[in-house]
Amino acid sequence: MNSLVRIDDKTYRLMGTEPSNVPPLQQKSVEVLPTRTLYSFAGDGVQVNVTFTTPALPDDLMIYSRPVTYVTWEALSTDGKGHTVKVYFDASPNIAVNDLNQPVQSESVSISGLATLRCGTTEQPVLQKRGDDLRIDWGHFYVSAPKSQKPAFAATSGADARQAFTTGVLPSGSADATPRSPKANAPVLAFGFDLGTIGTKKSSTCWLILAYDDNFSIQYFKKNLKPYWRRNGAEAADLLKLSASQYNSLVKRCTEFDADVMAMLRKAGGEQYAQICALAYRQCCAANKVAADENGQPLLFPKENFSNGCIATVDVIYPMAPQFLLFSPSLTKAMLVPIMDYASSPRWRWPFAPHDLGTYPHANGQVYGGGERTEDDQMPVEETGNMLILLAALAQVEGNVDFCAPYWPVLDKWAAYLKDKGFDPENQLCTDDFAGHLAHNVNLSAKAICGLGAYAKLCEQHGEKAKAQECLKLAKEFADRWVKEADDGDHFRLAFDKSGTWSQKYNLVWDHILGLNLFPETVLKKEMAFYRKSQNRYGLPLDNRQPYTKLDWTVWTSTLTGSAEDMQALIAPVYAFLNETPNRVPMTDWFRTPDAKHVGFQARSVVGGVFIKVLYDQPTWKQWVSKDKTKAAKWAPLPKPPKITCVVPAADTKPATWFYTVNKPTEQWVNPEFTPTDWKEGQSGFGAQNPPGAHISTPWTTGDIWIRRNFELTSTHHDLQLWIHHDEDAEIYINGVLAAKISGYSTTYDLHPINSRAKATLKSGKNTIAIHCHQTTGGQYIDAGLADVE
């Protein structure tokens, strides 16, 4: 995005780096609030305020789920003189593509009362890609402004439009409709506003809407779900008209919401704590998608950004939960329903909670570790403790266990697992899986103990008094053992069997929040004293093994004793990190405490965990929860899976003979008439190092492989799709036409749509499929067939 302002006869930059010969207007201040970011610039006798407003108001999910942001410019005279002011804005089509080579169509859209431009890929591959380092490339990005403001607008060359504005010329002309990629200078969506002469008594303003129109958001067990804002049939024009008509009221509501939230946060933890939470709020919202199920009820899906791209990851839901627990029971339930329904289904056969539902945006079943196949590399104690704790937190604030009613058999099974495995966890992963496997994890044990206490509370509310007393007694016995066996003098250990080690015990927050009273206060005070003397300049390391830390866990740890002084001692270095880190990235939760350098992870929802401190204050928590207008209930059951019929077998059912080469072939290799004379023949699948779900018949150990074969079709079908297992990137051609381009890797065979151009080439008789697979690291595998989906 770029923005320029012209004051009298001089042009300045407000956003962006172009034109490079135009100086920036001096920025005087910036303030980040939960729903707004406010910038102030000044020069040549004029102050220009630029405000971004995203109405992420959690009390009303129809507003909260809108993919809409307002940008407002306000100009006022500061020297008592009149000044002419013009404003320019453009947004590039980069926002609407996954990579910069995808052709984009830009156009003007006719919507009553609004000047509107939009852009989107010509391909529109709806929900076809999945993975981490991916961006949405279906739907359209919109820029829209009320015609009452008399905006000038055009889809045109960004360089030309910006340069013209430096002479006072606003964007004009019809949209450039030629499809081009951003790399090939695709047109930007440019707007200009003439604010006239601003005087000394009143400011002048202009504003516009940025919006994104995704027709479908999430694939949920093979069912494509609409975004929640579309639940009643709304289209993009409806979204823009409604957003424009509510601009004034929503800006007012956001202003009031921000003021109330910041006052609450300052009371809970002070000014620095409040600013950390404000920075986290919209990022946490944005890293989740709210979709509507078949009953129109909300389902909330986090994406595990900059990690592995999983969707609905339980150990992402756990740290982000405080923001949703605080502001909306409906959103809290919306994030728990998919996990609970999956865990209750025949698909999930383990006695512990799942880790995830798939790879974003495909929530079709767990992919992490052993997936649905084995217990390898799962997080059994971690995820089971997480779910029981979160269900108890929801029940506590609502005052009932109604939400848990359909899931009691699952809860009983999970509690039994923690009783058996929770106190002294085996060599397994926890949420901090980047640190590797760890046996006898003391902090993980604390989570299991709190999880059992949480289950006891749920049983108590459910009227099962004897079961509650029995489980609470066991949790208390475990806690007493924990205190003795984890003790290491002036602190408690990282692992029960490792003296001289330590770690943050952030999981203990729930002992106080849920009123379990399992661990004595002396434990918390001793740990805190050790933490305060173990900090580095930018915070408390996660444990003794590395100098890095997790921002969310550090904030949790800071609240353990309830002391404002202790909290500030741990919060201040985190605040300093956010101000002083040399890395210009979206708010990270994983950084080095000696030098504030970013380690990994960014733009993740887990930062919503910083709201944890407010959950200690029951009256304040209940006050915010009571504002929920949505009152979500009566979710649809898990979607019924489609009928899948094998049409062209892959190696998981019947290996086939393919031609293959590891030497880059000529460009004609995809064509049906191509003769692979110097290629080898081999049985599918092709791969090495036995990645999960693979059926290797022919070794492939190079960086690239090209494979092709002919196949016969003999009848009509409902919906032919690829049945493919790829590790890693794959390009699939059918009858010489690109049918799909898939990034990343899979851990099992799965369906993938064939685009309409390639599908149109399929015919009765002989057809050709050709695949190029590229490998970078780790295991590798490629194989494919075709399946009919009904």
Side-chain angles (χ1 to χ4, degrees):
M1 295 185 289
N2 295 271
S3 181
L4 307 171
V5 62
R6 188 165 173 81
I7 302 171
D8 298 325
D9 59 350
K10 295 182 181 179
T11 305
Y12 297 93
R13 282 185 287 118
L14 297 176
M15 269 192 282
T17 59
E18 299 294 334
S20 59
N21 62 341
V22 172
L25 192 61
Q26 185 179 7
Q27 181 177 311
K28 295 295 186 179
S29 66
V30 60
E31 184 178 13
V32 178
L33 297 168
T35 66
R36 297 173 299 144
T37 301
L38 297 81
Y39 292 90
S40 181
F41 306 85
D44 286 347
V46 172
Q47 178 176 323
V48 180
N49 301 321
V50 181
T51 302
F52 292 81
T53 304
T54 300
L57 299 168
D59 60 334
D60 187 337
L61 297 194
M62 286 299 284
I63 294 173
Y64 177 92
S65 64
R66 289 181 193 170
V68 165
T69 292
Y70 302 104
V71 187
T72 304
W73 292 260
E74 177 189 31
L76 57 154
S77 174
T78 59
D79 62 2
K81 301 176 183 178
H83 298 276
T84 60
V85 175
K86 294 180 180 179
V87 168
Y88 170 90
F89 172 85
D90 74 55
S92 83
N94 297 21
I95 296 172
V97 301
N98 175 50
D99 68 67
L100 301 182
N101 291 308
Q102 290 178 282
V104 173
Q105 183 84 44
S106 300
E107 57 191 341
S108 177
V109 182
S110 178
I111 299 177
S112 175
L114 297 174
T116 304
L117 297 170
R118 77 173 190 177
C119 63
T121 60
T122 56
E123 183 185 6
Q124 291 297 301
V126 178
L127 286 168
Q128 288 189 16
K129 300 181 179 72
R130 62 182 179 185
D132 186 9
D133 188 14
L134 294 173
R135 289 138 296 278
I136 189 170
D137 57 2
W138 70 90
H140 293 82
F141 172 63
Y142 291 78
V143 182
S144 186
K147 289 181 178 178
S148 59
Q149 297 183 132
K150 299 180 180 178
F153 61 104
T156 186
S157 162
D160 291 348
R162 293 173 213 129
Q163 194 58 48
F165 183 76
T166 64
T167 64
V169 178
L170 297 176
S172 63
S174 59
D176 183 349
T178 305
R180 287 199 300 274
S181 71
K183 189 169 278 187
N185 198 30
V188 302
L189 310 185
F191 276 71
F193 302 89
D194 188 344
L195 299 185
T197 300
I198 60 170
T200 58
K201 295 182 179 180
K202 187 178 179 182
S203 64
S204 294
T205 63
C206 59
W207 56 273
L208 52 74
I209 296 169
L210 310 179
Y212 207 98
D213 167 31
D214 55 327
N215 293 311
F216 291 97
S217 301
I218 299 293
Q219 186 176 98
Y220 185 49
F221 293 95
K222 304 300 182 181
K223 173 77 173 179
N224 289 352
L225 302 183
K226 289 182 177 291
Y228 188 78
W229 64 270
R230 282 184 176 274
R231 65 194 288 262
N232 296 322
E235 299 293 342
D238 305 309
L239 173 73
L240 292 169
K241 286 191 288 187
L242 187 59
S243 296
S245 69
Q246 294 179 343
Y247 168 78
N248 290 319
S249 63
L250 287 177
V251 167
K252 181 175 183 291
R253 286 179 61 184
C254 286
T255 302
E256 293 171 349
F257 177 80
D258 289 347
D260 291 345
V261 171
M262 293 302 285
M264 169 191 69
L265 294 169
R266 291 184 183 106
K267 179 182 177 183
E271 182 61 34
Q272 291 184 344
Y273 174 67
Q275 290 193 31
I276 291 170
C277 290
L279 183 63
Y281 181 82
R282 265 173 292 163
Q283 176 168 307
C284 181
C285 295
N288 289 273
K289 185 67 180 182
V290 187
D293 73 6
E294 289 186 302
N295 289 350
Q297 295 304 302
L299 297 174
L300 181 74
F301 297 95
K303 179 180 180 182
E304 196 169 343
N305 293 335
F306 289 87
S307 175
N308 70 351
C310 277
I311 186 171
T313 305
V314 173
D315 58 292
V316 167
I317 289 172
Y318 176 69
M320 80 178 190
Q323 179 167 316
F324 298 100
L325 284 166
L326 173 63
F327 290 113
S328 173
S330 290
L331 284 173
T332 301
K333 295 171 185 176
M335 72 187 183
L336 295 175
V337 165
I339 300 296
M340 297 306 302
D341 285 350
Y342 178 51
S344 303
S345 75
R347 289 276 300 268
W348 189 252
R349 54 196 176 92
W350 312 113
F352 48 79
H355 170 274
D356 63 82
L357 291 187
T359 303
Y360 196 95
H362 294 177
N364 293 327
Q366 178 165 309
V367 296
Y368 189 85
E372 295 180 348
R373 301 177 308 279
T374 71
E375 294 188 36
D376 296 343
D377 293 330
Q378 302 228 32
M379 298 186 185
V381 172
E382 171 72 36
E383 312 301 22
T384 305
N386 290 342
M387 290 302 296
L388 289 173
I389 286 168
L390 295 181
L391 290 167
L394 173 66
Q396 174 167 291
V397 75
E398 286 206 302
N400 62 70
V401 290
D402 295 350
F403 177 78
C404 295
Y407 307 119
W408 276 108
V410 175
L411 271 58
D412 291 340
K413 180 169 62 176
W414 288 349
Y417 182 83
L418 290 186
K419 290 175 184 178
D420 184 37
K421 302 285 190 178
F423 174 74
D424 189 9
E426 298 165 342
N427 188 34
Q428 58 184 246
L429 295 168
C430 71
T431 183
D432 305 315
D433 54 354
F434 50 83
H437 288 71
L438 179 67
H440 319 298
N441 187 328
V442 171
N443 186 46
L444 188 56
S445 174
K447 174 174 291 182
I449 296 168
C450 288
L452 286 171
Y455 173 72
K457 280 205 68 172
L458 291 168
C459 290
E460 178 75 23
Q461 288 177 276
H462 195 233
E464 298 183 74
K465 306 293 185 183
K467 188 182 291 186
Q469 291 174 2
E470 176 191 350
C471 192
L472 191 62
K473 180 175 179 290
L474 179 62
K476 181 60 179 172
E477 290 172 357
F478 279 172
D480 292 342
R481 280 183 59 194
W482 187 98
V483 173
K484 294 175 183 177
E485 296 179 29
D487 188 51
D488 206 44
D490 62 348
H491 67 278
F492 295 88
R493 298 174 179 180
L494 165 68
F496 286 116
D497 61 339
K498 295 184 184 296
S499 62
T501 63
W502 62 272
S503 66
Q504 291 191 36
K505 307 301 188 299
Y506 52 82
N507 286 316
L508 289 174
V509 295
W510 300 105
D511 191 33
H512 190 288
I513 292 172
L514 297 178
L516 305 176
N517 300 315
L518 299 172
F519 295 85
E521 291 293 321
T522 53
V523 168
L524 306 178
K525 291 179 180 178
K526 182 161 78 169
E527 277 288 276
M528 184 61 71
F530 183 83
Y531 296 152
R532 291 185 62 170
K533 68 182 182 182
S534 302
Q535 291 198 100
N536 292 319
R537 179 177 177 183
Y538 293 104
L540 177 66
L542 187 62
D543 57 49
N544 62 275
R545 292 175 291 180
Q546 294 285 344
Y548 56 58
T549 196
K550 288 282 271 86
L551 184 147
D552 45 342
W553 300 146
T554 301
V555 174
W556 285 31
T557 298
S558 75
T559 69
L560 285 175
T561 64
S563 161
E565 181 185 348
D566 286 340
M567 183 176 178
Q568 183 58 27
L570 269 63
I571 287 290
V574 173
Y575 182 84
F577 154 73
L578 291 168
N579 275 328
E580 299 172 20
T581 175
N583 304 113
R584 186 76 169 170
V585 298
M587 186 179 186
T588 178
D589 54 291
W590 187 18
F591 63 92
R592 284 173 46 85
T593 57
D595 54 20
K597 290 183 178 178
H598 167 238
V599 176
F601 304 158
Q602 62 197 53
R604 302 209 312 161
S605 63
V606 300
V607 297
V610 298
F611 285 87
I612 192 77
K613 183 62 172 69
V614 186
L615 303 189
Y616 282 82
D617 183 349
Q618 293 278 325
T620 300
W621 184 4
K622 291 187 176 182
Q623 175 189 347
W624 281 95
V625 160
S626 68
K627 300 175 186 287
D628 182 5
K629 299 174 185 174
T630 304
K631 310 296 184 188
K634 298 181 180 178
W635 279 268
L638 216 61
K640 183 180 179 181
K643 180 183 178 183
I644 301 172
T645 305
C646 176
V647 175
V648 178
D652 60 328
T653 55
K654 184 181 179 182
T657 300
W658 294 67
F659 288 98
Y660 75 96
T661 181
V662 295
N663 300 311
K664 186 175 182 180
T666 65
E667 292 183 1
Q668 289 73 38
W669 75 277
V670 303
N671 297 334
E673 61 272 15
F674 175 76
T675 302
T677 54
D678 57 346
W679 292 34
K680 297 180 180 179
E681 288 187 74
Q683 291 288 103
S684 57
F686 301 82
Q689 299 186 42
N690 293 314
H695 297 265
I696 297 173
S697 294
T698 303
W700 162 45
T701 59
T702 60
D704 293 88
I705 190 170
W706 292 261
I707 64 175
R708 55 173 287 144
R709 63 168 291 207
N710 296 326
F711 63 90
E712 296 280 337
L713 290 180
T714 58
S715 60
T716 58
H717 303 90
H718 299 89
D719 178 18
L720 277 181
Q721 297 190 28
L722 292 167
W723 182 250
I724 187 166
H725 189 336
H726 63 99
D727 188 350
E728 299 168 9
D729 304 345
E731 295 175 335
I732 303 94
Y733 297 83
I734 291 179
N735 295 328
V737 175
L738 182 65
K741 190 173 181 179
I742 315 174
S743 299
Y745 64 90
S746 58
T747 58
T748 187
Y749 284 84
D750 203 357
L751 296 167
H752 194 283
I754 300 169
N755 65 41
S756 57
R757 296 189 304 279
K759 190 174 286 188
T761 71
L762 290 167
K763 58 187 182 294
S764 294
K766 189 174 77 171
N767 295 266
T768 302
I769 181 170
I771 304 173
H772 169 219
C773 189
H774 174 71
Q775 164 67 11
T776 58
T777 185
Q780 55 195 93
Y781 187 70
I782 185 65
D783 182 39
L786 292 178
D788 187 33
V789 182
E790 181 181 359

